[in-house]
Amino acid sequence: MNCKACSYLEFPPPNFIRQEPLVLADIKRNALNSTCRTCSMLFRGIEKLVGAKTVEQFQRLVIHAGGEPRQGPMRADLLLPYGTDDFKVKKRKLKLQFYVHPDNPGPWEAIGPALDIAHHGLEDSCVNLALGWLENCTAQKRGHEDCQIYEASPLPTRVIRVGKTNLELCLHISKPNEKGRYVALSHCWGGISPLITSLASFNKHVQNIRYSHLPQTFRNAIEVTRRLDVEYLWIDSLCIIQDSMEDWVSEAAHMALVYENSYVTVAADAAVDSATGFLAGPARHPGPMVSVDCATHDEEQRSIVHVREKGALAWQMPFHSWDPKEGKLFGDQSRINGIKFDPGTLFSDSTAPRSKLSTRGWVFQEQILAPRTLHFSESELAWECHSAITCECSSFTQRRRRGGALLKGTIKGEMWKQIVAEYTALNLTFPKDRLPALSGLAQAMSRVKVGDEYLCGLWRKSLPVELLWCTVESIPRASLRLGKSYAPTWSWASITGTVEYSPKGIRVSDTFEILEIYCPINPDNLFGPLNGPAALLVSGVVVPIKRQDPKMLSNWQWVSPALPIQEASEGSKEKKELEGLRMLSDLWNDTPKPYLEDEGSSLYFFLMMGGPSGGYEVGCPHGLVLKRVGDGDGEGEDVYERVGYAQGSTSVDNDDQGGWSSDDSSDDVGVSALYAERAWDGWAALGEKKRLKIL
C-alpha cells in the first residue's frame, strides 16, 4: 500500500521543503494493520523514543524532505493539536531525526546517514569531526568562503605548552613576535577558584605546571589541545598574573587579539565551573536514541533506522541564532540574554536549557572575536565560524545552506547598540568588570570605526544617539549605580542593569548639541575604566518636572510645574490640550526608585533630545531625566546627573482634533506626525534652551 508517508520518503521532491502534515492517527492505523511498512517504521520509532503514553498527545507529523537523496538525517516534527494550552505540555513541537549509519544505507531516499552522538567528547568520531571542520575553515574549503585562510599568529604574552606528556606541561613566555598555533579556552569559573598564576607561583609555573593540581575543565582543555595536535593553550587564570593589577591591565588591553588570533577557541559549555569538566558525564550526557528494524515494501532490503530528538544547540550555544538585522533572537515571544524575539518562528526550542557559559558577560566578547569556536556542550559537539554552524547530530546534512554564526559579524556591521543591549543582559561576578569584560570587543570595533573615539562604552561620532539608552524593566535584576569615579551617569556602563536603545526611527533634534566632552582615558587601556570623573557640556531644551503626588512613583505622576492646567476651564479645548501634554507617558529609571523623597520641583528636569520623525511612537519627545546636583553661581553651567530616560506624552482627544488634524483625516500617519510635532512644540514652550554639564 502506498500513502503520503511512502511518497515523502521514497520519492522526495528535488527541492528541500516542509511537507504537508500527516495525521498521526492514520500512521498508527497503517502501522498496526501492517498495511504500510513506512508508517510502521515511523510510528514504531516515534513510540519507542517518546513512549506510548506521550505519543498519544501528538496529532500531526510534519516531514522535512527533498533535495539530493540521502544527504543527512531526515527531520520530522511531532505537533500537538491546535489550541493546546502551553502549561499542560512541556513542548508544542518535538523535532526528531531519522537516520542510518554511513555503512548501512537505508531503503528510503529521504533518510540519509548520520553519526551517533558520542558519550565522550574525544571519541574518534568527535576528533575526526573537529579536525575536518578546522581543515575546511582554515583553508577556505567546502563552503568556507567567508572565513580567512589561517596563518600562524603572534602568540599571546604567555601560553601553556601542553607537550606530549604531563611532565612537559609548563607556562611558556613568548618571545617578541614569536608565532605559533594555540587554542584559547572559554570557560566559566563558576564561583570555584581554579589554579591560578600569581606573583608567588609564576617562576614555578614556568618550570612546570603539575597536572594533578589542575581542575578537571583545565585537564580536559589540555587533552583537546593535544588531540588537535596543537602545541599551546591559553587559559586566562594561568596566563595572566592574577594578583598583579599592572599585568591584569596590560593583558586586558590585548584581550581582543588573544581570541582573534587563536587557531580555535574551545568553549566548555557543559562545564558549570572549573572543576566539572566537559568531555564526559555527568557534564556531557547525550539524549536517548532508539533503533528500529525495517524493510521496503518488496522486502528486498532491510536496514536499521535510528531515531533521536534533534538537538537545540541554536539555543544552547551562545548567540548563534541572533539576527543582526533586527537585533533579535528567533523564537517565541520571550527574552533570552536580554533580546526580545518574534513569536511563532520556533515553538519548543526557546525552552531548551542554555549553558551557564552563555550567560556570562566575559564570554560574550570571546565568542564574537574568536574566528572559530568548538563547542563542547552537554548534548553534543558543535562548531561555529563565519561560514558555518554545524554539530555532531547534523554533520552530514547538506540539504540546507548552513549560515555562519551571525553575531560574529557584528563588528564588521558596526552594530554597537545591539551589542550593548545583548551584553548588558549577561552576568558578571564583579560589577566593576562591566567595562573590562567588553574592552577586547571595543578594541576590535575601533579598527572598524576609523577616526572614532571610545568614550566609556559609547562612541564619539554617534554619541548623541548612543546617549538615548534606557533600562529594561522586564529583566528581574536590580540596577545599581557604580559611581561617577567608574563611569559617568550618561554612560550605560555606570549602572549594572540591562539596557536597550530607543526606537530605530528616533532622531536627535537640532536643538540638542554636544559642546565639549571631558573623558580622561586610561593610557594603559584605552577601552577600560576611566582615569577619573568624566563630564559632558551640552546645549538643549530643558523642561523642569515634578511629581504631582510625592507619595506616588508612577510615571504618569511626573508633570511640568510650568503647565497652567489648573487655570484652564474644565472641559475646554485648552484644558484637553494641556492635559495631553502635561505628563511623561513613559519613564525608565536608571536605578529602582531613585526618587525616595520629595526633594522639590527645582531638582528634576527633562532634557529633550529626540525630535519627531513621522509617526506617533517615534515622534513624541524623547530625552534624559536629569537631577540638578550643583549650580554655576552665575559663573558657569549648572551641574546635573542622569537618573533616567523619558518620553513625553502626545495624547489628545481624538474627537476634538481641532487644528491638529490633517487635510486628509484618513492619513493616520500624517495625523500622528502632526500630533507628535505639536507635542514637541508644546513641551519645548514649557522649558528653555540652556547650557548644562552632565556628570
Side-chain angles (χ1 to χ4, degrees), residues 358-426:
S358 70
T359 68
R360 306 306 301 171
W362 277 100
V363 172
F364 185 74
Q365 66 176 5
E366 298 168 7
Q367 301 296 339
I368 295 178
L369 294 172
R372 292 162 292 277
T373 304
L374 194 59
H375 288 272
F376 287 84
S377 80
E378 62 179 23
S379 58
E380 61 178 320
L381 181 70
W383 170 268
E384 284 186 291
C385 66
H386 287 281
S387 299
I389 298 169
T390 187
C391 53
E392 248 180 292
C393 75
S394 300
S395 57
F396 281 81
T397 296
Q398 297 177 20
R399 290 193 177 103
R400 287 184 175 180
R401 179 185 181 274
R402 290 190 166 273
L406 298 177
L407 200 57
K408 289 184 183 293
T410 52
I411 294 179
K412 179 184 286 188
E414 298 187 41
M415 304 180 69
W416 188 253
K417 291 191 293 183
Q418 290 90 335
I419 285 174
V420 168
E422 177 77 3
Y423 167 71
T424 56
L426 304 177

Side-chain angles (χ1 to χ4, degrees), residues 147-409:
C147 298
Q148 298 291 324
I149 293 178
Y150 176 80
E151 297 180 357
S153 304
L155 293 176
T157 305
R158 306 173 198 95
V159 286
I160 301 164
R161 186 193 298 273
V162 299
K164 300 296 182 183
T165 68
N166 294 337
L167 295 177
E168 301 175 64
L169 198 64
C170 66
L171 189 65
H172 172 77
I173 303 173
S174 305
K175 301 180 178 67
N177 300 318
E178 182 179 1
K179 295 184 177 182
R181 295 191 309 169
Y182 65 92
V183 171
L185 176 65
S186 178
H187 69 106
C188 181
W189 287 37
I192 297 177
S193 213
L195 181 68
I196 64 171
T197 294
S198 63
L199 291 169
S201 64
F202 178 78
N203 290 330
K204 185 188 300 183
H205 285 175
V206 171
Q207 296 300 318
N208 178 252
I209 297 175
R210 296 188 64 175
Y211 184 84
S212 60
H213 289 179
L214 292 171
Q216 189 62 41
T217 298
F218 291 8
R219 295 183 188 184
N220 285 172
I222 290 169
E223 295 174 53
V224 171
T225 304
R226 287 171 176 167
R227 291 296 301 273
L228 296 180
D229 195 26
V230 179
E231 186 175 4
Y232 299 112
L233 169 65
W234 188 90
I235 302 177
D236 52 2
S237 62
L238 291 175
C239 296
I240 299 175
I241 302 174
Q242 296 297 310
D243 58 353
S244 169
M245 181 56 66
E246 180 182 356
D247 190 65
W248 198 90
V249 171
S250 175
E251 291 304 301
H254 302 96
M255 194 65 69
L257 295 176
V258 169
Y259 289 96
E260 285 180 311
N261 291 337
S262 65
Y263 180 58
V264 65
T265 291
V266 167
D269 291 278
V272 297
D273 53 41
S274 298
T276 305
F278 56 86
L279 292 178
R284 180 181 171 98
H285 48 89
M289 180 271 291
V290 299
S291 303
V292 291
D293 181 70
C294 53
T296 54
H297 292 293
D298 55 16
E299 298 191 7
E300 290 184 357
Q301 185 178 1
R302 300 193 66 83
S303 181
I304 302 294
V305 172
H306 309 278
V307 189
R308 65 189 173 204
E309 186 174 359
K310 185 180 183 294
L313 281 178
W315 299 92
Q316 293 170 349
M317 294 197 312
F319 326 117
H320 99 215
S321 288
W322 196 73
D323 181 357
K325 294 181 180 179
E326 298 295 332
K328 299 175 181 178
L329 287 165
F330 303 120
D332 288 339
Q333 191 171 19
S334 183
R335 182 180 287 270
I336 289 182
N337 284 356
I339 296 295
K340 297 175 182 177
F341 43 84
D342 295 331
T345 306
L346 296 175
F347 287 89
S348 63
D349 288 353
S350 61
T351 63
R354 293 186 57 88
S355 70
K356 185 174 180 180
L357 185 68
S358 70
T359 68
R360 306 306 301 171
W362 277 100
V363 172
F364 185 74
Q365 66 176 5
E366 298 168 7
Q367 301 296 339
I368 295 178
L369 294 172
R372 292 162 292 277
T373 304
L374 194 59
H375 288 272
F376 287 84
S377 80
E378 62 179 23
S379 58
E380 61 178 320
L381 181 70
W383 170 268
E384 284 186 291
C385 66
H386 287 281
S387 299
I389 298 169
T390 187
C391 53
E392 248 180 292
C393 75
S394 300
S395 57
F396 281 81
T397 296
Q398 297 177 20
R399 290 193 177 103
R400 287 184 175 180
R401 179 185 181 274
R402 290 190 166 273
L406 298 177
L407 200 57
K408 289 184 183 293

Side-chain angles (χ1 to χ4, degrees), residues 514-592:
I514 296 176
L515 304 175
E516 188 178 337
I517 303 171
Y518 178 69
C519 201
I521 304 298
N522 186 341
D524 295 326
N525 185 359
L526 302 180
F527 307 98
L530 301 178
N531 256 356
L536 285 182
L537 181 63
V538 305
S539 172
V541 176
V542 180
V543 181
I545 56 175
K546 70 173 183 178
R547 289 203 310 273
Q548 284 265 74
D549 183 349
K551 296 179 182 179
M552 298 290 290
L553 295 178
S554 167
N555 298 342
W556 285 94
Q557 290 296 321
W558 286 92
V559 302
S560 169
L563 202 61
I565 296 176
Q566 304 302 329
E567 299 177 9
S569 301
E570 192 67 34
S572 66
K573 175 183 175 183
E574 179 185 13
K575 177 79 169 182
K576 292 179 181 180
E577 290 188 358
L578 288 171
E579 287 180 340
L581 295 169
R582 73 185 183 86
M583 294 183 179
L584 298 179
S585 60
D586 288 292
L587 188 150
W588 295 265
N589 298 325
D590 292 348
T591 56

